[in-house]
Amino acid sequence: DAGVIQSPRHEVTEMGQEVTLRCKPISGHDYLFWYRQTMMQGLELLVYFNNKAVMDDSGMPKDRFSAKMPNASFSTLKIQPSEPRDSAVYFCASRRPGQFYNEQFFGPGTRLTVL
Amino acid sequence: DAKTTQPTSMDCAEGRAANLPCNHSTISGNEYVYWYRQIHSQGPQYIIHGLKNNETNEMASLIITEDRKSSTLILPHATLRDTAVYYCIVRSNTGNQFYFGTGTSLTVIP
């Protein structure tokens, strides 16, 4: 199994630009999570999906962030317009259906730098 | 979900057992204890979880006190590759969110 795939691995952009982060979950997993990690805040959950539907996006700044999951094998996290404070590592994770205690599998992350 | 408290950092000699403590004094009956770790520049990795019984797998052992207010993750023979930040998380059986906290930075010393 290829694991959770994220792209790009690194992104450098200028303030005000649109940024799109991509995630491919593990095949057969029906939960998908987006996290953000910074030195100051640690690892924070932004949004998660179950069967492509948003279940909780309370951690996501809605004025500039949007998350979509158009099909079971692809999700995007978009930031428009980007700001320097959005600089962070963004992780995507997926979880298989069934028991609630199933582990989450994390991708390698996308390191975003907004200048 | 209950809050957890972990030491900020710990050292362990290579080959020795690493014992990482976690306090979760406000844990409720339906909440599980999870441990994840994050090696530098990688995504977090699941280690183990438990409810009230001690658990063991190929990576580690989890010891939960009888009152469930604290737990200890044991890496029986620490290697240099075990150097990472270890997160203790308490999560209910009705939630999907993980609150990672600040974790314990474990350094395994040669």
Side-chain angles (χ1 to χ4, degrees), chain B residues 17-94:
Chain B
N19 295 278
L20 291 90
C22 179
N23 285 322
H24 31 79
S25 58
T26 60
I27 193 170
S28 59
N30 66 347
E31 290 181 317
Y32 281 67
V33 181
Y34 288 77
W35 284 83
Y36 277 70
R37 73 179 182 183
Q38 187 173 22
I39 296 170
H40 181 62
S41 298
Q42 298 182 20
Q45 175 192 24
Y46 167 85
I47 301 173
I48 199 167
H49 76 276
L51 182 61
K52 52 185 177 181
N53 297 322
N54 297 338
E55 302 287 345
T56 296
N57 63 19
E58 65 278 5
M59 290 182 68
S61 294
L62 174 60
I63 308 299
I64 303 174
T65 58
E66 191 170 346
D67 63 6
R68 303 208 323 121
K69 293 184 184 301
S70 65
S71 60
T72 301
L73 178 74
I74 301 173
L75 308 178
H77 305 286
T79 71
L80 299 180
R81 288 177 295 181
D82 292 324
T83 292
V85 177
Y86 287 77
Y87 297 98
C88 170
I89 305 157
V90 173
R91 202 197 89 183
S92 75
N93 61 2
T94 57

Side-chain angles (χ1 to χ4, degrees), chain A residues 13-88:
Chain A
T13 190
E14 293 188 348
M15 182 173 62
Q17 296 298 306
E18 178 179 293
V19 176
T20 300
L21 310 181
R22 298 172 176 80
C23 175
K24 177 179 170 57
I26 294 172
S27 177
H29 285 195
D30 65 350
Y31 281 89
L32 185 141
F33 305 81
W34 282 100
Y35 291 86
R36 175 172 65 182
Q37 186 171 38
T38 62
M39 289 294 293
M40 293 298 294
Q41 300 296 328
L43 199 59
E44 307 172 280
L45 178 67
L46 297 174
V47 58
Y48 79 90
F49 297 83
N50 178 218
N51 288 322
K52 302 179 291 181
V54 173
M55 300 304 292
D56 188 340
D57 62 0
S58 59
M60 191 171 73
K62 310 242 187 355
D63 55 338
R64 299 181 300 107
F65 285 61
S66 62
K68 294 183 180 180
M69 193 165 185
N71 58 62
S73 59
F74 182 67
S75 176
T76 60
L77 181 68
K78 186 175 294 186
I79 309 172
Q80 168 63 22
S82 59
E83 297 181 0
R85 59 179 168 152
D86 300 328
S87 297

